[in-house]
């Protein structure tokens, strides 16, 4: 049986300083023989949200995803006070990524990514 992961598409997001926000992704697999799409159970996986510089080289902020679901979602909460430091006055755009890691096998997958813009 041939099974392949669904391609992760780019999603650009706007983050608002002072607001509580949620960012995440969903992992599903397609059975190439039947065409059936099923979610991957992420309840035992660990997820992480990264906010990086525009070129992706510098890690500016990261947070563990608090919600990992059996129907393939990894959801990370951004608290309202996340971007209150002075360094965020110049960090206005960059790249974001949500990846998940299986703690038993070490397998790592990106399930959401794109570019972010920070506004007031």
């Amino acid at each position: 049986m041939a099974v392949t992961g669904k391609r992760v598409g780019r999603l650009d997001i706007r983050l608002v300083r002072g607001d509580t926000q949620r960012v995440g992704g969903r992992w599903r697999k397609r059975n190439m023989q039947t065409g059936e799409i099923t979610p991957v159970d992420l309840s035992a996986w660990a997820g992480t949200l990264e906010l990086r510089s525009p070129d992706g080289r510098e890690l500016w902020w990261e947070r563990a995803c608090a919600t990992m679901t059996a129907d393939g979602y990894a959801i990370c909460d951004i608290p309202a006070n996340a971007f209150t430091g002075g360094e965020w006055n110049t960090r206005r755009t960059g790249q974001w990524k949500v990846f998940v890691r299986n703690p038993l096998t070490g397998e790592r997958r990106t399930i959401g990514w794109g570019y972010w813009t920070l506004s007031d």
Side-chain angles (χ1 to χ4, degrees), residues 47-51 59 61-66 76-79 81-82:
T48 303
L49 166 64
E50 292 182 345
L51 298 181
L59 177 62
W61 192 84
E62 73 177 330
R63 186 166 183 99
C65 297
C76 308
D77 296 309
I78 300 175
N81 65 354

Side-chain angles (χ1 to χ4, degrees), residues 85-110:
E87 69 274 16
W88 293 101
N89 292 332
T90 56
R91 295 177 177 179
R92 305 306 280 194
T93 63
Q95 298 180 29
W96 71 272
K97 179 183 351 181
V98 171
F99 64 88
V100 295
R101 183 183 311 276
N102 183 316
L104 298 177
T105 66
E107 179 181 4
R108 178 181 156 144
R109 295 288 177 114
T110 297

Side-chain angles (χ1 to χ4, degrees), residues 3 13 18 38 46 48 65 84 90 105 118:
V3 177
I13 59 175
T38 56
T48 303
C65 297
T84 56
T90 56
T105 66
L118 180 63

Side-chain angles (χ1 to χ4, degrees), residues 27-82:
W27 184 7
R28 298 182 296 168
K29 288 187 176 182
R30 176 189 306 267
N31 182 313
M32 297 304 288
Q33 293 175 338
T34 66
E36 180 183 12
I37 298 173
T38 56
V40 175
D41 182 354
L42 295 178
S43 57
W45 290 58
T48 303
L49 166 64
E50 292 182 345
L51 298 181
R52 293 186 166 271
S53 60
D55 64 6
R57 292 182 183 170
E58 296 178 54
L59 177 62
W60 285 347
W61 192 84
E62 73 177 330
R63 186 166 183 99
C65 297
T67 305
M68 305 295 292
T69 71
D71 59 345
Y73 287 98
I75 302 169
C76 308
D77 296 309
I78 300 175
N81 65 354

